Amino acid sequence: QTTREELLKAVPVRTVADDTFDDVFHRIFIEKIEPRLDEYAEGRPVLVCDYPPSMSALARLNSAGFADRFEVYWRGLELCNAFHELNDPSENRRRFERDNVMKASTGREQVPLDVQLLRSFDNGIPPAGGIALGLERLFMATRSLSSIDQVRPF
């Protein structure tokens, strides 16, 4: 697994002392990669996948050890975010607890464990996935609009 320092050595970006690996990865993606996706894709939609395991949120890991999630970008916009839900009760609990340890170490507010959700996982949740599509972003992309303020609710 790549460390924060290795990541910074490969792609230098501005950081602050308490930036985590995820902070640095996110900054690299936002500053260096996202602005160039359209150029690489030559105007076609781009599917970004294989996020680091630490950025899996509630997604399961795929056979290669990456987060089983993807985002679709088109015309400079993130249109949607999707993933296969992690339904392993033990792993979900570990991730919730790890997130709280990370938050505590950086002085952020911890989130109480969702006992009802964890109980649901213990009772068995079938495989599931989902995708969140920003309709306003899709409209912006199809109309070549530069600001979400140009989109009016219907």
Side-chain angles (χ1 to χ4, degrees):
Q1 183 169 339
T2 305
T3 67
R4 173 190 185 276
E5 289 69 29
E6 291 169 327
L7 198 55
L8 282 169
K9 199 181 248 184
V11 186
V13 291
R14 175 191 54 81
T15 62
V16 294
D18 64 347
D19 274 351
T20 65
F21 170 88
D22 290 348
D23 295 327
V24 173
F25 182 93
H26 188 71
R27 191 165 289 124
I28 289 170
F29 189 80
I30 295 298
E31 293 178 12
K32 307 286 186 182
I33 298 170
E34 194 174 73
R36 302 184 82 187
L37 286 175
D38 236 22
E39 173 188 333
Y40 294 133
E42 299 175 345
R44 295 184 305 262
V46 176
L47 190 73
V48 178
C49 58
D50 289 344
Y51 286 83
S54 62
M55 300 184 81
S56 61
L58 296 177
R60 67 184 185 195
L61 300 183
N62 63 26
S63 59
F66 293 105
D68 201 359
R69 59 178 283 232
F70 67 86
E71 294 178 353
V72 175
Y73 287 81
W74 186 43
R75 295 188 173 171
L77 298 167
E78 177 191 330
L79 298 181
C80 59
N81 190 341
F83 60 88
H84 286 105
E85 299 275 352
L86 174 66
N87 59 356
D88 178 301
S90 301
E91 180 60 20
N92 269 310
R93 184 176 301 278
R94 273 192 297 277
R95 287 189 191 180
F96 291 151
E97 290 169 348
R98 181 195 66 213
D99 287 348
N100 274 335
V101 167
M102 290 282 293
K103 286 176 182 175
S105 72
T106 58
R108 292 181 289 160
E109 185 179 343
Q110 296 181 49
V111 177
L113 293 182
D114 186 335
V115 178
Q116 188 174 4
L117 177 62
L118 290 170
R119 200 172 301 129
S120 297
F121 287 125
D122 288 335
N123 291 328
I125 293 180
I131 188 166
L133 170 64
L135 292 177
E136 74 285 8
R137 291 167 176 249
L138 180 59
F139 188 79
M140 286 175 63
T142 60
R143 302 289 181 205
S144 299
L145 301 175
S146 59
S147 170
I148 199 160
D149 293 335
Q150 297 172 289
V151 178
R152 300 195 181 214
F154 44 89

